Amino acid sequence: QIQINSNDLKIGDDLTAAASAFNGDALSWVLNGGEDHAFLATFSSALDVPTGWDLIGTVSAGEPGVFVDGVAVTPKGWDHFGKS
C-alpha cells in the first residue's frame, strides 16, 4: 500500500491560485496532473532519505492501493494505453 499524507506535499501559492481561478482543487491537480514528471523513490526508513528529498508518505505490505490521508484513491491521470 502507498500511503500519502497531503500535508507533506508542497503545493505552492501560484498553483493554489491557478486552481482556484479555474474552480479546481490544487491537491487534485498535484495528484492527477498532466505532463509534469516527478521522481519518487522508496527508502528503508525515514533516516535514509537523502538531503533534498521530501518524505510524503509510506509504502507497506497489504492490499495494493494508493491512499491519501487514509482514503483510497483511483488514479485520474492520462491513460497512455487507453483507446484514443
Side-chain angles (χ1 to χ4, degrees):
Q1 293 181 346
I2 298 173
Q3 300 278 351
I4 298 172
N5 181 351
S6 66
N7 290 327
D8 292 332
L9 297 172
K10 294 181 179 178
I11 301 176
D13 293 338
D14 291 342
L15 179 61
T16 301
S20 179
F22 290 96
N23 295 319
D25 174 58
L27 177 60
S28 179
W29 286 16
V30 168
L31 295 173
N32 302 298
E35 291 300 318
D36 51 335
H37 299 279
F39 290 102
L40 295 175
T42 60
F43 299 94
S44 55
S45 80
L47 299 175
D48 295 326
V49 177
T51 302
W53 288 75
D54 296 314
L55 184 64
I56 62 168
T58 59
V59 176
S60 61
E63 190 67 30
V66 177
F67 299 82
V68 177
D69 300 330
V71 178
V73 295
T74 302
K76 297 177 185 172
W78 177 257
D79 180 1
H80 293 277
F81 302 104
K83 295 180 182 179
S84 358

